[in-house]
Amino acid sequence: MTADISRAMELKPVGVVRSPIKDRDAMPIWGVDAQLDIFEEYEEALTGIDGNSHLILCCWLHEADRKVLKAVPRKISTSLPEQGVFSLRSPSRPNPISVTIVKLLRRYGRHLFVSGADAIDGTPIVDIKPYQAGMDCVFSAKNPDRTQKVRKMLPAEYKESLIHEGYNFHGERCIGLALAVRMAMVANLLLGCDLRSDDVCIVIGKNHCVSDSLIGITGARLGSGRLLYNLRPKLKQSSADSYSIFSQDKAIVFRFKKFMKDFDGVIECDVNDIFDIEVI
């Protein structure tokens, strides 16, 4: 039966990725802007694609080692424990197919311009599908605890991962997202655990953008009991807009000291310039 299935399988590239990255070791963890050149004979397959903001890009990682069965997430840290490639997003695997969500910036004929592509220049495209939020997004999905993984990350890398997670949920790279990222970095340091853990809850405040971004970063939901609107009685009440990230034995309360109007300014400034922080 296996031999019959193998003979029936046949993959043909439908296009190629034109990327500024030539070496896979130089690929940023969150991808780059790239051009997807679809072959002329498949141009009609692009009909109707323009109405989608995001696409599922499937590529064949032609330079990958197909003999690898276990690996470490090397872009995070080579000291993390080795795992099977089916539990990782490593490019090296028996069938090196990559599945990436990219943002469609614009289309020109059979050429698609996207952001977030993690394929090097010349990578064959296997397929393109529309990303459907109602079908493809499982916000309540669970993954193994990331505490050790986060501890191995450089602060700049962790910051970028938080920006990515908050942006994916909120949809805007705004001041509120930047403020939520700074809160999350402080909370991770003081709580010492993965902020998506079942033991971590958040209390959202008045700013919708900050609240949205905190939900995206922590995965907190009303249904899981991890998302709250009002401060618990043990937390100091204040007329100022406040937010809290807490576990069973510690709570960090953030109150705006100064609401800066520049995304990069919020991301790079001293955290004490923008928040009064209370640890309870």
PDB file of all heavy atoms in Angstrom, residues 139 165-166 169-170 196 211-220:
ATOM      1  N   PHE A 139      -7.760  30.250  18.345  1.00  0.00           N
ATOM      2  CA  PHE A 139      -7.172  31.117  19.363  1.00  0.00           C
ATOM      3  C   PHE A 139      -6.957  30.375  20.680  1.00  0.00           C
ATOM      4  O   PHE A 139      -6.064  30.703  21.448  1.00  0.00           O
ATOM      5  CB  PHE A 139      -8.051  32.350  19.587  1.00  0.00           C
ATOM      6  CG  PHE A 139      -7.454  33.359  20.525  1.00  0.00           C
ATOM      7  CD1 PHE A 139      -6.344  34.096  20.151  1.00  0.00           C
ATOM      8  CD2 PHE A 139      -7.980  33.554  21.795  1.00  0.00           C
ATOM      9  CE1 PHE A 139      -5.770  35.016  21.014  1.00  0.00           C
ATOM     10  CE2 PHE A 139      -7.418  34.466  22.662  1.00  0.00           C
ATOM     11  CZ  PHE A 139      -6.315  35.205  22.269  1.00  0.00           C
ATOM     12  N   GLU A 165       3.009  38.480  18.022  1.00  0.00           N
ATOM     13  CA  GLU A 165       1.814  37.864  18.581  1.00  0.00           C
ATOM     14  C   GLU A 165       0.708  38.884  18.807  1.00  0.00           C
ATOM     15  O   GLU A 165      -0.465  38.623  18.515  1.00  0.00           O
ATOM     16  CB  GLU A 165       2.163  37.170  19.902  1.00  0.00           C
ATOM     17  CG  GLU A 165       3.043  35.943  19.726  1.00  0.00           C
ATOM     18  CD  GLU A 165       3.491  35.348  21.053  1.00  0.00           C
ATOM     19  OE1 GLU A 165       3.202  35.961  22.106  1.00  0.00           O
ATOM     20  OE2 GLU A 165       4.118  34.285  21.055  1.00  0.00           O
ATOM     21  N   GLY A 166       1.068  40.053  19.345  1.00  0.00           N
ATOM     22  CA  GLY A 166       0.067  41.091  19.576  1.00  0.00           C
ATOM     23  C   GLY A 166      -0.505  41.633  18.285  1.00  0.00           C
ATOM     24  O   GLY A 166      -1.720  41.850  18.162  1.00  0.00           O
ATOM     25  N   PHE A 169      -3.155  39.408  16.467  1.00  0.00           N
ATOM     26  CA  PHE A 169      -4.505  39.452  17.030  1.00  0.00           C
ATOM     27  C   PHE A 169      -5.138  40.825  16.825  1.00  0.00           C
ATOM     28  O   PHE A 169      -6.292  40.933  16.402  1.00  0.00           O
ATOM     29  CB  PHE A 169      -4.470  39.116  18.523  1.00  0.00           C
ATOM     30  CG  PHE A 169      -5.836  39.042  19.158  1.00  0.00           C
ATOM     31  CD1 PHE A 169      -6.589  37.888  19.067  1.00  0.00           C
ATOM     32  CD2 PHE A 169      -6.361  40.125  19.844  1.00  0.00           C
ATOM     33  CE1 PHE A 169      -7.851  37.812  19.647  1.00  0.00           C
ATOM     34  CE2 PHE A 169      -7.621  40.067  20.424  1.00  0.00           C
ATOM     35  CZ  PHE A 169      -8.364  38.898  20.328  1.00  0.00           C
ATOM     36  N   HIS A 170      -4.383  41.866  17.095  1.00  0.00           N
ATOM     37  CA  HIS A 170      -4.924  43.232  17.054  1.00  0.00           C
ATOM     38  C   HIS A 170      -5.034  43.782  15.633  1.00  0.00           C
ATOM     39  O   HIS A 170      -5.965  44.506  15.305  1.00  0.00           O
ATOM     40  CB  HIS A 170      -4.064  44.143  17.919  1.00  0.00           C
ATOM     41  CG  HIS A 170      -4.505  45.574  17.950  1.00  0.00           C
ATOM     42  ND1 HIS A 170      -5.803  45.938  18.248  1.00  0.00           N
ATOM     43  CD2 HIS A 170      -3.824  46.730  17.696  1.00  0.00           C
ATOM     44  CE1 HIS A 170      -5.899  47.270  18.193  1.00  0.00           C
ATOM     45  NE2 HIS A 170      -4.725  47.759  17.852  1.00  0.00           N
ATOM     46  N   ARG A 196       1.461  32.735  28.393  1.00  0.00           N
ATOM     47  CA  ARG A 196       0.307  32.002  27.867  1.00  0.00           C
ATOM     48  C   ARG A 196      -0.074  30.829  28.763  1.00  0.00           C
ATOM     49  O   ARG A 196      -0.974  30.047  28.436  1.00  0.00           O
ATOM     50  CB  ARG A 196       0.592  31.518  26.439  1.00  0.00           C
ATOM     51  CG  ARG A 196       0.871  32.639  25.460  1.00  0.00           C
ATOM     52  CD  ARG A 196       1.016  32.148  24.041  1.00  0.00           C
ATOM     53  NE  ARG A 196      -0.260  31.877  23.415  1.00  0.00           N
ATOM     54  CZ  ARG A 196      -1.005  32.788  22.774  1.00  0.00           C
ATOM     55  NH1 ARG A 196      -0.581  34.038  22.685  1.00  0.00           N
ATOM     56  NH2 ARG A 196      -2.148  32.453  22.243  1.00  0.00           N
ATOM     57  N   SER A 211      -5.636  46.580  25.296  1.00  0.00           N
ATOM     58  CA  SER A 211      -6.346  45.380  25.742  1.00  0.00           C
ATOM     59  C   SER A 211      -6.312  44.290  24.679  1.00  0.00           C
ATOM     60  O   SER A 211      -6.032  43.115  24.971  1.00  0.00           O
ATOM     61  CB  SER A 211      -7.791  45.737  26.093  1.00  0.00           C
ATOM     62  OG  SER A 211      -7.845  46.673  27.158  1.00  0.00           O
ATOM     63  N   ASP A 212      -6.600  44.662  23.438  1.00  0.00           N
ATOM     64  CA  ASP A 212      -6.527  43.719  22.323  1.00  0.00           C
ATOM     65  C   ASP A 212      -5.161  43.046  22.261  1.00  0.00           C
ATOM     66  O   ASP A 212      -5.044  41.821  22.134  1.00  0.00           O
ATOM     67  CB  ASP A 212      -6.747  44.471  20.998  1.00  0.00           C
ATOM     68  CG  ASP A 212      -8.041  44.079  20.318  1.00  0.00           C
ATOM     69  OD1 ASP A 212      -8.864  43.384  20.944  1.00  0.00           O
ATOM     70  OD2 ASP A 212      -8.230  44.460  19.157  1.00  0.00           O
ATOM     71  N   SER A 213      -4.131  43.853  22.342  1.00  0.00           N
ATOM     72  CA  SER A 213      -2.764  43.341  22.188  1.00  0.00           C
ATOM     73  C   SER A 213      -2.378  42.430  23.341  1.00  0.00           C
ATOM     74  O   SER A 213      -1.708  41.409  23.136  1.00  0.00           O
ATOM     75  CB  SER A 213      -1.778  44.511  22.071  1.00  0.00           C
ATOM     76  OG  SER A 213      -2.104  45.336  20.961  1.00  0.00           O
ATOM     77  N   LEU A 214      -2.801  42.763  24.560  1.00  0.00           N
ATOM     78  CA  LEU A 214      -2.521  41.896  25.706  1.00  0.00           C
ATOM     79  C   LEU A 214      -3.221  40.547  25.562  1.00  0.00           C
ATOM     80  O   LEU A 214      -2.670  39.502  25.912  1.00  0.00           O
ATOM     81  CB  LEU A 214      -2.967  42.575  27.007  1.00  0.00           C
ATOM     82  CG  LEU A 214      -2.034  43.632  27.590  1.00  0.00           C
ATOM     83  CD1 LEU A 214      -2.666  44.263  28.820  1.00  0.00           C
ATOM     84  CD2 LEU A 214      -0.673  43.033  27.940  1.00  0.00           C
ATOM     85  N   ILE A 215      -4.434  40.559  25.029  1.00  0.00           N
ATOM     86  CA  ILE A 215      -5.152  39.306  24.800  1.00  0.00           C
ATOM     87  C   ILE A 215      -4.396  38.455  23.781  1.00  0.00           C
ATOM     88  O   ILE A 215      -4.218  37.251  23.958  1.00  0.00           O
ATOM     89  CB  ILE A 215      -6.587  39.584  24.318  1.00  0.00           C
ATOM     90  CG1 ILE A 215      -7.411  40.210  25.446  1.00  0.00           C
ATOM     91  CG2 ILE A 215      -7.260  38.303  23.822  1.00  0.00           C
ATOM     92  CD1 ILE A 215      -8.764  40.743  25.011  1.00  0.00           C
ATOM     93  N   GLY A 216      -3.930  39.077  22.694  1.00  0.00           N
ATOM     94  CA  GLY A 216      -3.179  38.349  21.680  1.00  0.00           C
ATOM     95  C   GLY A 216      -1.889  37.768  22.195  1.00  0.00           C
ATOM     96  O   GLY A 216      -1.502  36.653  21.825  1.00  0.00           O
ATOM     97  N   ILE A 217      -1.208  38.500  23.070  1.00  0.00           N
ATOM     98  CA  ILE A 217       0.075  38.063  23.608  1.00  0.00           C
ATOM     99  C   ILE A 217      -0.089  36.926  24.619  1.00  0.00           C
ATOM    100  O   ILE A 217       0.677  35.964  24.628  1.00  0.00           O
ATOM    101  CB  ILE A 217       0.819  39.249  24.259  1.00  0.00           C
ATOM    102  CG1 ILE A 217       1.344  40.199  23.161  1.00  0.00           C
ATOM    103  CG2 ILE A 217       1.956  38.781  25.156  1.00  0.00           C
ATOM    104  CD1 ILE A 217       1.864  41.520  23.700  1.00  0.00           C
ATOM    105  N   THR A 218      -1.112  37.020  25.467  1.00  0.00           N
ATOM    106  CA  THR A 218      -1.272  36.055  26.558  1.00  0.00           C
ATOM    107  C   THR A 218      -2.213  34.906  26.215  1.00  0.00           C
ATOM    108  O   THR A 218      -2.179  33.863  26.874  1.00  0.00           O
ATOM    109  CB  THR A 218      -1.826  36.749  27.817  1.00  0.00           C
ATOM    110  OG1 THR A 218      -3.128  37.293  27.519  1.00  0.00           O
ATOM    111  CG2 THR A 218      -0.896  37.874  28.264  1.00  0.00           C
ATOM    112  N   GLY A 219      -3.062  35.091  25.203  1.00  0.00           N
ATOM    113  CA  GLY A 219      -4.049  34.063  24.878  1.00  0.00           C
ATOM    114  C   GLY A 219      -5.178  33.994  25.899  1.00  0.00           C
ATOM    115  O   GLY A 219      -5.938  33.022  25.929  1.00  0.00           O
ATOM    116  N   ALA A 220      -5.322  35.025  26.731  1.00  0.00           N
ATOM    117  CA  ALA A 220      -6.362  35.029  27.766  1.00  0.00           C
ATOM    118  C   ALA A 220      -7.751  35.175  27.132  1.00  0.00           C
ATOM    119  O   ALA A 220      -7.934  35.931  26.185  1.00  0.00           O
ATOM    120  CB  ALA A 220      -6.108  36.170  28.753  1.00  0.00           C
TER     121      ALA A 220
END
